[in-house]
Amino acid sequence: MNILFIGDIVGNPGRKAAKEMIQRLKRDRQIDFCIANGENSAGGKGITYVVAKNLYSAGIDAITLGNHTWSKREITNFIDSDDCIVRPANYPEELPGKGSTVISNDKGKIGILNLMGRIYMESIDCPFKAAERELIELKSQARVILVDIHAEATSEKCALAWHLDGRVSCVLGTHTHVQTADERILPCGTAFISDVGMTGPHEGIIGVNRDIVINKFITHMPNRFEIAHGSVQFNAVYLQVDEKTGKTMKIERINEVLE
């Protein structure tokens, strides 16, 4: 099974880059499932119904979220009815949406679990315990399971990967918008990378207009962030997974800059 996971899609530039690259990669690498983190896909923060449909039409099969899940309030109107969107499973249970899902096509099934870290992030439930809870149901439905851990601390992401080694197909970090070069397959068959990176403006600072960010650092005054212009980067990982065992055989980083 060939899986493409796309790092945090930022705004319209990121959506356009994703669409272009998905078409190419599906043709060249026979992608069976395409999943993307879309928590910044609507104007750089949050997601809307229209943007979600735009991502699906681009070839994305499922969307994971993160700390900006609720930045566009309208998400509460559609997240419960969309089986292909997952928000962090360690958010309070009474909130709308779900933390995991199973999607399928003629190539098989894949379970998707979304978690959020706690180090330097919001005060929420334990991602390790949430993973244990969600995996009981997921593993009864699918052998291939992808985990998106949306977190700041590399150590927290790495610890989760080792904790889940052999029980999930991959643990993929998101949130920092900077692709790391530590991709590997752990001893029991779980692929790991600290951060998949970002799909969005290449010439900004993690997708934001660099002048605004620099000014904020210098003055400490609040500024309204704007999406940067110019060339666009596409960050993702390509995974080859044995659908019979759920173990990953290959993980490869993809990092391209599009004019």
Side-chain angles (χ1 to χ4, degrees), residues 21 39 65 120 183:
M21 288 297 296
E39 71 138 18
L65 299 174
Y120 309 124
E183 74 279 10

Side-chain angles (χ1 to χ4, degrees), residues 64 88 158:
T64 58
C158 189

Side-chain angles (χ1 to χ4, degrees), residues 190-255:
T190 295
F192 171 66
I193 185 170
S194 292
D195 206 285
V196 178
M198 174 193 73
T199 294
H202 178 64
E203 298 176 18
I205 296 175
I206 60 173
V208 177
N209 182 307
R210 59 181 181 270
D211 293 332
I212 294 175
V213 177
I214 292 168
N215 184 65
K216 183 174 182 179
F217 276 118
I218 292 172
T219 66
H220 289 266
M221 292 294 289
N223 286 286
R224 182 175 180 177
F225 286 173
E226 298 175 1
I227 301 246
H229 299 287
S231 58
V232 182
Q233 69 187 53
F234 177 85
N235 285 170
V237 289
Y238 167 72
L239 303 151
Q240 290 182 351
V241 183
D242 185 334
E243 59 266 33
K244 294 180 180 178
T245 65
K247 296 182 184 297
T248 298
M249 301 175 290
K250 178 179 180 179
I251 178 171
E252 177 186 341
R253 283 181 294 121
I254 300 173
N255 181 7

